[in-house]
């Protein structure tokens, strides 16, 4: 269940999975809840919010795995081979470009040289 705390104007100021002081039961499809959860003030459906956050969470998980490996908490080879392949592919793709100050991709270290071609 979802609980919302509202200010004097009726706007949601926080959401919780557990009841807290001055909270009321809220529904994820409530426009006020959707507006509160939307980081850019655009109305998005709960499904759209989940899909957007999935992409962000996958990046966090990759960074967490990198941190655990760098601290030698786990070994890269401890991961299943399929996970190793996916992580290596994403690491290679991420190292090929970064985003500039205007959120535009900038190619830094192209994976392919001028004469290289990918064939499928």
């Amino acid at each position: 269940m979802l609980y919302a705390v509202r200010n004097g104007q009726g706007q949601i100021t926080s959401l919780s999975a557990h009841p807290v002081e001055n909270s009321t039961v809220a529904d994820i499809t409530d426009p006020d809840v959707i507006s509160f959860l939307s980081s850019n003030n655009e109305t998005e459906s709960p499904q759209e919010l989940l899909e957007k956050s999935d992409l962000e969470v996958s990046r966090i998980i990759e960074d967490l795995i990198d941190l655990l490996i760098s601290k030698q908490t786990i070994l890269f080879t401890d991961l299943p081979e399929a996970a190793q392949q996916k992580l290596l592919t994403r690491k290679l793709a991420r190292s090929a470009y970064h985003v500039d100050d205007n959120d535009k991709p900038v190619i830094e270290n192209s994976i392919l040289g001028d004469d290289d071609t990918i064939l499928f």
Side-chain angles (χ1 to χ4, degrees):
M1 194 163 281
L2 186 64
Y3 298 88
V5 175
R6 297 178 184 265
N7 63 17
Q9 293 77 36
Q11 297 170 324
I12 295 176
T13 58
S14 69
L15 292 173
S16 173
H18 306 286
V20 294
E21 187 177 340
N22 299 322
S23 67
T24 58
V25 174
D27 188 274
I28 189 69
T29 60
D30 181 328
D32 290 340
V33 172
I34 293 171
S35 177
F36 179 81
L37 292 173
S38 177
S39 60
N40 56 7
N41 294 328
E42 292 179 14
T43 303
E44 297 174 322
S45 72
Q47 182 64 33
E48 290 169 327
L49 288 169
L50 285 173
E51 288 171 1
K52 182 179 175 183
S53 70
D54 284 350
L55 296 173
E56 295 165 351
V57 169
S58 67
R59 175 69 188 264
I60 292 169
I61 291 171
E62 286 178 57
D63 291 342
L64 175 61
I65 291 169
D66 286 344
L67 177 65
L68 292 172
I69 290 170
S70 71
K71 293 189 173 274
Q72 297 180 347
T73 304
I74 63 170
L75 297 174
F76 184 74
T77 54
D78 290 340
L79 301 170
E81 189 173 331
Q84 292 177 32
Q85 290 291 328
K86 288 175 185 168
L87 288 168
L88 286 173
T89 300
R90 287 195 48 85
K91 185 177 282 295
L92 184 61
R94 282 173 58 182
S95 71
Y97 76 95
H98 76 276
V99 178
D100 67 12
D101 294 335
N102 298 320
D103 290 333
K104 301 210 187 270
V106 176
I107 303 297
E108 282 188 338
N109 302 318
S110 179
I111 297 169
L112 301 177
D114 291 337
D115 296 331
D116 291 332
T117 306
I118 296 178
L119 300 173
F120 291 97

